[in-house]
Amino acid sequence: MITTQQLQNDFTSGLNEFLDSYPESNLFGPIRYLLSLGGKRIRPILALSVCNAESGSSSDAIPASIAVELFHNFTLMHDDIMDNAPLRRGRQTVHEKYNENAAILSGDALFTAAYQAIELASPDAVLQLLKILNKTSMEVCEGQQQDLDFESLEQVSEEMYLEMIRLKTSVLLAASCAMGAISAGATDDRVELWYEFGEKLGLAFQI
């Protein structure tokens, strides 16, 4: 039985190898800084766990797991700018440690790197992985906009709140599960079931 610690180790090894492909520069320094702050790594571990549950191996889902983690951190880097947040995981946010322009540009590079990670996946899975990541990316932006819109509203209904967190947070956990299943070569029905599981898990996680 594969333990969470083994999955953590597999992911960390894969992520470090991927990051080593980028040069040491002012563009990638803020990216390495943000990723060095750690975090729960829930999304990549979900991708690896589901892949293993569907009889795949961790190596099959490493590209997908890296993609979802990089995408997640891209959203954090830009969210912190919009929120004017001074701290992330108890340390300075990227725009505070460097500057706002560096955080915007490095965030853009981080977003691009997530898609470059997908290039390393099995050719049979790449198109499906790209489609779900594209869909998720747009939905996360919609959720972030709704969150911003809520700041000017006097009342926000329960339904509005649940839809906002579904888009802003839940869909990425859902995508993590689905991308793990895709990486294992699961059927479309199984991929959809894993997506629904991740979506519900994401709602509970955010609430």
Side-chain angles (χ1 to χ4, degrees), residues 15 26-27 38 50 63 66 77 81 94 121 132 154 186 193 206:
L15 177 64
N26 290 335
L27 178 62
V50 171
I66 293 173
M77 198 181 288
I81 298 171
V94 172
I132 193 167
E154 291 186 4
L193 286 171
Q206 185 63 20

mmCIF file of all heavy atoms in Angstrom, residues 15 26-27 38 50 63 66 77 81 94 121 132 154 186 193 206:
data_model
loop_
_atom_site.group_PDB
_atom_site.id
_atom_site.type_symbol
_atom_site.label_atom_id
_atom_site.label_comp_id
_atom_site.label_asym_id
_atom_site.label_seq_id
_atom_site.Cartn_x
_atom_site.Cartn_y
_atom_site.Cartn_z
ATOM 1 N N LEU A 15 8.764 17.486 -8.702
ATOM 2 C CA LEU A 15 8.707 18.950 -8.779
ATOM 3 C C LEU A 15 10.101 19.552 -8.822
ATOM 4 O O LEU A 15 10.377 20.452 -9.634
ATOM 5 C CB LEU A 15 7.938 19.494 -7.577
ATOM 6 C CG LEU A 15 7.850 21.028 -7.477
ATOM 7 C CD1 LEU A 15 7.080 21.607 -8.654
ATOM 8 C CD2 LEU A 15 7.207 21.442 -6.154
ATOM 9 N N ASN A 26 15.982 36.329 -12.230
ATOM 10 C CA ASN A 26 15.019 37.173 -11.529
ATOM 11 C C ASN A 26 13.581 36.766 -11.823
ATOM 12 O O ASN A 26 12.686 37.065 -11.032
ATOM 13 C CB ASN A 26 15.226 38.636 -11.913
ATOM 14 C CG ASN A 26 16.514 39.206 -11.354
ATOM 15 O OD1 ASN A 26 17.029 38.735 -10.346
ATOM 16 N ND2 ASN A 26 17.039 40.228 -12.014
ATOM 17 N N LEU A 27 13.358 36.108 -12.948
ATOM 18 C CA LEU A 27 12.018 35.660 -13.296
ATOM 19 C C LEU A 27 11.598 34.453 -12.466
ATOM 20 O O LEU A 27 10.464 34.374 -11.980
ATOM 21 C CB LEU A 27 11.935 35.313 -14.783
ATOM 22 C CG LEU A 27 10.593 34.775 -15.287
ATOM 23 C CD1 LEU A 27 9.483 35.812 -15.112
ATOM 24 C CD2 LEU A 27 10.696 34.357 -16.758
ATOM 25 N N GLY A 38 6.245 25.752 1.009
ATOM 26 C CA GLY A 38 5.548 24.503 1.333
ATOM 27 C C GLY A 38 4.067 24.590 1.047
ATOM 28 O O GLY A 38 3.648 24.992 -0.027
ATOM 29 N N VAL A 50 -5.336 9.299 -6.879
ATOM 30 C CA VAL A 50 -6.356 8.788 -7.797
ATOM 31 C C VAL A 50 -5.716 7.954 -8.891
ATOM 32 O O VAL A 50 -6.245 6.901 -9.282
ATOM 33 C CB VAL A 50 -7.175 9.949 -8.394
ATOM 34 C CG1 VAL A 50 -8.086 9.442 -9.511
ATOM 35 C CG2 VAL A 50 -7.993 10.637 -7.313
ATOM 36 N N PRO A 63 3.405 14.604 -14.116
ATOM 37 C CA PRO A 63 3.158 15.838 -14.875
ATOM 38 C C PRO A 63 1.864 16.540 -14.468
ATOM 39 O O PRO A 63 1.838 17.763 -14.290
ATOM 40 C CB PRO A 63 3.103 15.356 -16.326
ATOM 41 C CG PRO A 63 3.956 14.131 -16.341
ATOM 42 C CD PRO A 63 3.662 13.468 -15.033
ATOM 43 N N ILE A 66 2.252 18.122 -10.946
ATOM 44 C CA ILE A 66 3.042 19.355 -11.008
ATOM 45 C C ILE A 66 2.194 20.486 -11.591
ATOM 46 O O ILE A 66 2.202 21.617 -11.075
ATOM 47 C CB ILE A 66 4.314 19.148 -11.858
ATOM 48 C CG1 ILE A 66 5.266 18.170 -11.155
ATOM 49 C CG2 ILE A 66 5.015 20.482 -12.118
ATOM 50 C CD1 ILE A 66 6.463 17.769 -12.002
ATOM 51 N N MET A 77 -0.185 33.678 -5.986
ATOM 52 C CA MET A 77 0.706 34.813 -6.208
ATOM 53 C C MET A 77 -0.081 36.050 -6.642
ATOM 54 O O MET A 77 0.154 37.163 -6.157
ATOM 55 C CB MET A 77 1.777 34.458 -7.248
ATOM 56 C CG MET A 77 2.983 35.391 -7.221
ATOM 57 S SD MET A 77 4.249 34.996 -8.450
ATOM 58 C CE MET A 77 4.954 33.489 -7.780
ATOM 59 N N ILE A 81 -1.640 39.774 -4.469
ATOM 60 C CA ILE A 81 -1.552 41.152 -4.960
ATOM 61 C C ILE A 81 -2.916 41.829 -4.846
ATOM 62 O O ILE A 81 -3.037 42.950 -4.325
ATOM 63 C CB ILE A 81 -1.069 41.184 -6.430
ATOM 64 C CG1 ILE A 81 0.329 40.591 -6.560
ATOM 65 C CG2 ILE A 81 -1.078 42.624 -6.961
ATOM 66 C CD1 ILE A 81 0.777 40.394 -8.000
ATOM 67 N N VAL A 94 5.093 37.257 -2.216
ATOM 68 C CA VAL A 94 6.059 37.542 -3.278
ATOM 69 C C VAL A 94 6.126 39.032 -3.587
ATOM 70 O O VAL A 94 7.210 39.599 -3.743
ATOM 71 C CB VAL A 94 5.711 36.737 -4.550
ATOM 72 C CG1 VAL A 94 6.586 37.177 -5.718
ATOM 73 C CG2 VAL A 94 5.890 35.241 -4.300
ATOM 74 N N ALA A 121 3.371 14.682 -20.008
ATOM 75 C CA ALA A 121 2.448 13.569 -19.790
ATOM 76 C C ALA A 121 2.438 12.636 -20.998
ATOM 77 O O ALA A 121 2.974 12.952 -22.072
ATOM 78 C CB ALA A 121 1.041 14.102 -19.536
ATOM 79 N N ILE A 132 -9.172 19.887 -19.601
ATOM 80 C CA ILE A 132 -9.707 20.070 -18.249
ATOM 81 C C ILE A 132 -8.979 21.197 -17.520
ATOM 82 O O ILE A 132 -9.587 21.953 -16.754
ATOM 83 C CB ILE A 132 -9.659 18.745 -17.445
ATOM 84 C CG1 ILE A 132 -10.517 18.872 -16.179
ATOM 85 C CG2 ILE A 132 -8.251 18.355 -17.072
ATOM 86 C CD1 ILE A 132 -10.790 17.561 -15.505
ATOM 87 N N GLU A 154 -24.314 44.198 -0.441
ATOM 88 C CA GLU A 154 -24.754 44.217 0.943
ATOM 89 C C GLU A 154 -25.112 42.830 1.445
ATOM 90 O O GLU A 154 -24.964 42.510 2.625
ATOM 91 C CB GLU A 154 -25.957 45.153 1.102
ATOM 92 C CG GLU A 154 -25.616 46.628 0.908
ATOM 93 C CD GLU A 154 -26.794 47.526 1.213
ATOM 94 O OE1 GLU A 154 -27.843 47.005 1.651
ATOM 95 O OE2 GLU A 154 -26.658 48.746 1.019
ATOM 96 N N ALA A 186 -7.949 5.915 -17.195
ATOM 97 C CA ALA A 186 -9.297 5.525 -16.774
ATOM 98 C C ALA A 186 -10.328 5.886 -17.835
ATOM 99 O O ALA A 186 -10.097 6.763 -18.675
ATOM 100 C CB ALA A 186 -9.646 6.209 -15.452
ATOM 101 N N LEU A 193 -16.644 10.492 -12.429
ATOM 102 C CA LEU A 193 -16.919 10.169 -11.030
ATOM 103 C C LEU A 193 -15.865 10.775 -10.102
ATOM 104 O O LEU A 193 -16.191 11.318 -9.039
ATOM 105 C CB LEU A 193 -16.981 8.647 -10.831
ATOM 106 C CG LEU A 193 -18.228 7.946 -11.371
ATOM 107 C CD1 LEU A 193 -18.057 6.430 -11.309
ATOM 108 C CD2 LEU A 193 -19.469 8.373 -10.584
ATOM 109 N N GLN A 206 -13.327 24.025 1.512
ATOM 110 C CA GLN A 206 -13.387 25.478 1.575
ATOM 111 C C GLN A 206 -14.311 25.970 2.683
ATOM 112 O O GLN A 206 -14.035 26.949 3.374
ATOM 113 C CB GLN A 206 -13.837 26.049 0.236
ATOM 114 C CG GLN A 206 -13.806 27.572 0.157
ATOM 115 C CD GLN A 206 -12.409 28.147 0.309
ATOM 116 O OE1 GLN A 206 -11.405 27.453 0.110
ATOM 117 N NE2 GLN A 206 -12.310 29.404 0.678
#
